[in-house]
C-alpha cells in the first residue's frame, strides 16, 4: 500500500484565525468577546509572528507542503481599503514556504469575515459576492508560484454558521452553540439553509474565474465531508439530508481543478435525521466517534458526486490529548486513503489537521496538533506524531 506518486502532497493545515492571534478586526473576535460560554482566541499561537518556525518544523520533519490561510479582515480592514503591508506579510509567508520546499496550499477564506462585511449583512448583502471577488482580486497580486488555492473553507459549515447566527438574531436560538464541538445540543443544530449554500457556490465560481484569469494555480474549495450512511430503510432520508449538508457543495466543484476533502468521523442517518454520536469512551475531544475509516467513505463519495474531480485531502485528524492515538488514527485513515488510490481515485495529497494545537472555534481543549504550543511562552513542542508523519511522507507509504 503506498502513494509514491510524483508530486503527492504530504503536509499539514492551519487557518489564520485559529493560529495567528489578535485577529481583532474579524467577526469571530467580536463574537468571542460577546458570546456566553465561549473561550477567546487571544494571541492564539502567535503564528502571525512565528510562522517561519512553524513551517521549518514541518519541513525538517519531512513534509513537503503547508496549507495556511490569508485573513480577509487584515487584508481589507475597511471596504475598498487594501492593506499593502498585510499583502506583503502573506507574500513573505508564501516565500518562506517555497524557500523551505513546502508547496503552499493557500486558503482565501476560513470561516471569518471582516467586521464591516459581517455588520453590513454578511453573505446575505446584495453585494456580498462582489465584495468577496474584489478581495480575491487583490490577493491574486501575491500568488506567484502558488500552485494550490482554496477559495472558501467548508462552505457547508459556513452556511450552517450563517443560518445559526440568523436564528440567533431572530430569537430562534438563545445560546451560542459550537459549530465543531459536539455536545448534547447537537440534535438541535439546523441544516444549513440551501439558499445560503447556493450563494456561496456562486461566490466560489466568481472567485474561481478571477483566480483563473490572474494566476496559474489549481483552484478548488474544501468541503466538510461527513461520511453519512443510512440505517436500514433510511436511504431516501440520507439522500435528502446529504444533499443540503454536503452534495450541493460537492456538485459545485464539478469544474474545479480539485476538491478539498475534509474528514474526521462518520454518522448514521435514520428517519429522524442525523443520529448524534453515541456517548462512548473512544469518542474524541470534540465528541466525535472514533472513525478513521470515514476518510475512505468521504473520498469515494466526493469523487462520485463531483464527477471525478481530483481529490486533495485538505483536513483529516483527531482531537486527542494522547499522541499515540493520533498516530493510530492517522495510520488507519491513511490505510483507507491508499485503498481509494488503489481503486483508481485520483488523490493528489494528504494534509493533516492540524500542524499546531490551536484555537478550536470557542474552545482550547480539543487539541489536533502535530506540534504542541505553550500557551504562555508560545514555544513549540513537536510531538512524536510529527516525526512519524514526516517519515511516512519521506517513504511515501506506511
Ligand atoms: C475546520 C477547522 C476545524 C476542524 C476541526 C474543520 O471544521 O475547517 O477549522 O478546526 O474542522 O474541528
Amino acid at each position: 500500500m503506498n502513494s509514491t506518486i510524483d508530486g503527492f502532497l504530504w503536509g499539514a493545515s492551519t487557518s489564520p484565525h485559529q493560529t495567528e492571534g489578535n485577529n481583532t478586526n474579524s467577526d469571530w473576535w467580536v463574537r468571542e468577546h460577546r458570546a456566553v460560554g465561549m473561550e477567546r482566541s487571544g494571541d492564539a499561537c502567535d503564528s502571525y509572528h512565528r510562522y517561519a518556525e512553524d513551517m521549518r518544523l514541518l519541513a525538517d520533519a519531512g513534509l513537503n507542503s503547508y496549507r495556511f490561510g490569508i485573513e480577509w479582515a487584515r487584508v481589507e480592514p475597511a471596504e475598498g481599503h487594501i492593506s499593502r503591508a498585510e499583502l506583503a506579510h502573506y507574500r513573505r509567508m508564501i516565500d518562506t514556504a517555497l524557500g523551505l520546499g513546502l508547496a503552499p496550499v493557500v486558503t482565501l477564506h476560513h470561516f471569518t469575515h471582516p467586521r464591516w462585511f459581517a455588520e453590513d449583512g454578511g453573505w446575505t448583502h446584495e453585494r456580498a459576492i462582489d465584495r468577496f471577488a474584489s478581495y480575491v482580486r487583490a490577493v491574486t497580486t501575491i500568488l506567484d508560484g502558488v500552485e494550490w488555492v482554496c477559495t472558501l473553507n467548508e462552505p457547508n459549515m459556513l452556511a450552517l454558521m450563517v443560518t445559526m447566527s440568523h436564528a440567533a438574531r431572530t430569537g430562534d436560538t438563545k445560546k451560542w452553540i459550537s459549530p465543531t464541538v459536539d455536545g448534547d445540543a447537537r440534535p438541535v443544530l439546523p441544516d444549513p439553509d440551501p439558499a445560503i449554500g447556493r450563494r456561496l457556490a456562486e461566490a466560489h465560481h466568481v472567485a474561481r474565474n478571477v483566480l483563473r484569469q490572474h494566476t496559474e494555480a489549481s483552484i478548488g474549495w474544501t468541503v466538510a465531508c461527513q461520511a453519512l450512511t443510512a440505517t436500514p430503510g433510511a436511504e431516501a432520508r440520507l439522500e435528502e439530508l446529504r444533499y443540503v449538508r454536503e452534495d450541493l457543495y460537492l456538485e459545485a466543484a464539478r469544474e474545479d481543478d480539485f476538491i478539498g476533502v475534509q474528514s474526521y468521523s462518520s454518522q448514521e442517518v435514520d428517519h429522524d435525521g442525523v443520529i448524534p454520536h453515541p456517548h462512548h469512551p473512544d469518542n474524541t475531544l470534540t465528541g466525535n466517534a472514533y472513525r478513521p475509516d470515514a476518510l475512505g467513505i468521504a473520498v469515494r463519495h466526493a469523487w462520485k458526486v463531483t464527477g471525478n474531480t481530483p481529490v486533495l485531502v485538505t483536513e483529516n485528524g483527531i482531537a486527542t490529548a494522547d499522541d499515540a492515538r493520533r498516530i493510530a488514527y492517522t495510520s488507519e485513515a491513511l490505510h483507507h486513503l491508499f485503498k481509494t488510490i488503489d481503486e483508481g481515485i485520483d488523490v493528489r495529497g494528504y494534509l493533516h489537521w492540524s500542524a499546531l494545537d490551536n484555537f478550536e472555534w470557542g474552545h482550547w481543549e480539543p487539541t489536533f496538533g502535530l506540534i504542541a504550543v505553550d500557551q504562555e511562552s508560545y514555544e513549540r513542542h513537536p510531538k512524536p506524531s510529527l516525526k512519524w508523519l514526516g517519515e511516512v511522507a519521506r517513504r511515501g507509504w506506511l
Side-chain angles (χ1 to χ4, degrees):
M1 216 78 73
N2 75 72
S3 71
T4 43
I5 301 168
D6 271 355
F8 194 85
L9 298 183
W10 284 103
S13 295
T14 55
S15 85
H17 188 75
Q18 293 175 270
T19 56
E20 288 180 341
N22 299 300
N23 189 17
T24 56
N25 193 40
S26 75
D27 58 343
W28 265 84
W29 182 271
V30 176
R31 185 171 304 146
E32 285 158 32
H33 289 259
R34 282 194 192 143
V36 179
M38 201 174 178
E39 290 183 297
R40 296 173 177 178
S41 53
D43 287 325
C45 304
D46 192 30
S47 291
Y48 186 84
H49 301 105
R50 293 167 200 258
Y51 64 85
E53 186 184 350
D54 298 340
M55 293 186 196
R56 176 168 297 284
L57 288 170
L58 301 179
D60 285 352
L63 299 180
N64 65 20
S65 73
Y66 180 45
R67 172 175 174 238
F68 59 90
I70 294 178
E71 182 58 57
W72 184 6
R74 293 188 198 271
V75 169
E76 191 175 3
E79 184 171 13
H81 173 87
I82 298 294
S83 164
R84 283 192 287 269
E86 293 291 356
L87 283 178
H89 167 82
Y90 289 109
R91 181 64 222 182
R92 282 193 294 276
M93 286 186 76
I94 292 166
D95 285 336
T96 304
L98 292 171
L100 288 164
L102 295 170
V105 177
V106 176
T107 306
L108 304 184
H109 181 282
H110 197 125
F111 294 165
T112 51
H113 307 90
R115 287 174 68 157
W116 62 263
F117 178 87
E119 284 160 11
D120 192 26
W123 288 105
T124 57
H125 191 283
E126 55 177 4
R127 288 186 41 240
I129 294 175
D130 289 346
R131 287 171 166 173
F132 182 62
S134 115
Y135 153 70
V136 172
R137 172 75 184 86
V139 173
T140 58
T141 59
I142 60 158
L143 293 179
D144 255 15
V146 174
E147 292 180 10
W148 302 87
V149 175
C150 313
T151 59
L152 294 160
N153 177 71
E154 295 193 348
N156 45 346
M157 290 298 294
L158 178 62
L160 173 64
M161 290 179 209
V162 175
T163 309
M164 281 161 66
S165 50
H166 185 256
R169 271 199 305 278
T170 55
D172 294 348
T173 56
K174 288 190 182 59
K175 199 174 164 293
W176 172 77
I177 300 171
S178 171
T180 61
V181 178
D182 263 330
D184 294 332
R186 197 50 152 197
V188 301
L189 278 183
D191 285 332
D193 179 347
I196 296 168
R198 281 191 276 273
R199 188 137 245 258
L200 296 177
E202 194 187 331
H204 167 58
H205 294 150
V206 170
R208 186 180 66 193
N209 286 346
V210 172
L211 288 156
R212 283 188 175 154
Q213 263 167 33
H214 297 282
T215 77
E216 301 291 312
S218 294
I219 318 296
W221 69 351
T222 64
V223 173
C225 296
Q226 298 154 54
L228 298 172
T229 57
T231 55
E235 290 76 12
R237 182 78 179 111
L238 168 68
E239 293 288 316
E240 181 186 282
L241 222 144
R242 196 165 48 185
Y243 182 75
V244 287
R245 290 184 163 228
E246 195 171 313
D247 292 359
L248 185 161
Y249 305 86
L250 293 173
E251 284 180 5
R254 287 192 173 157
E255 283 162 37
D256 288 1
D257 303 308
F258 68 92
I259 175 69
V261 167
Q262 317 214 137
S263 163
Y264 292 90
S265 188
S266 168
Q267 268 174 292
E268 285 192 309
V269 171
D270 65 12
H271 291 289
D272 297 326
V274 177
I275 305 177
H277 295 285
H279 288 284
H280 191 280
D282 283 348
N283 283 4
T284 73
L285 291 176
T286 46
N288 287 350
Y290 182 89
R291 291 289 302 273
D293 61 315
L295 184 57
I297 304 172
V299 166
R300 284 184 195 97
H301 185 68
W303 175 250
K304 183 168 145 221
V305 179
T306 58
N308 301 0
T309 299
V311 169
L312 178 62
V313 177
T314 38
E315 289 185 23
N316 171 252
I318 175 172
T320 177
D322 175 355
D323 198 52
R325 246 181 131 224
R326 185 177 338 280
I327 295 175
Y329 173 95
T330 310
S331 165
E332 209 179 315
L334 284 173
H335 169 80
H336 289 281
L337 179 67
F338 291 165
K339 272 211 249 175
T340 68
I341 297 173
D342 288 346
E343 290 162 18
I345 297 182
D346 181 359
V347 180
R348 303 290 172 91
Y350 173 86
L351 309 176
H352 190 79
W353 185 272
S354 180
L356 305 169
D357 284 346
N358 60 39
F359 177 67
E360 180 57 25
W361 306 109
H363 304 265
W364 278 100
E365 196 211 356
T367 42
F368 284 88
L370 301 167
I371 301 167
V373 179
D374 183 303
Q375 278 307 308
E376 284 180 16
S377 66
Y378 308 109
E379 257 175 59
R380 274 56 178 150
H381 300 286
K383 303 180 192 176
S385 53
L386 176 63
K387 183 167 184 282
W388 172 82
L389 188 62
E391 281 163 5
V392 172
R394 285 186 212 268
R395 277 197 306 272
W397 67 81
L398 283 169

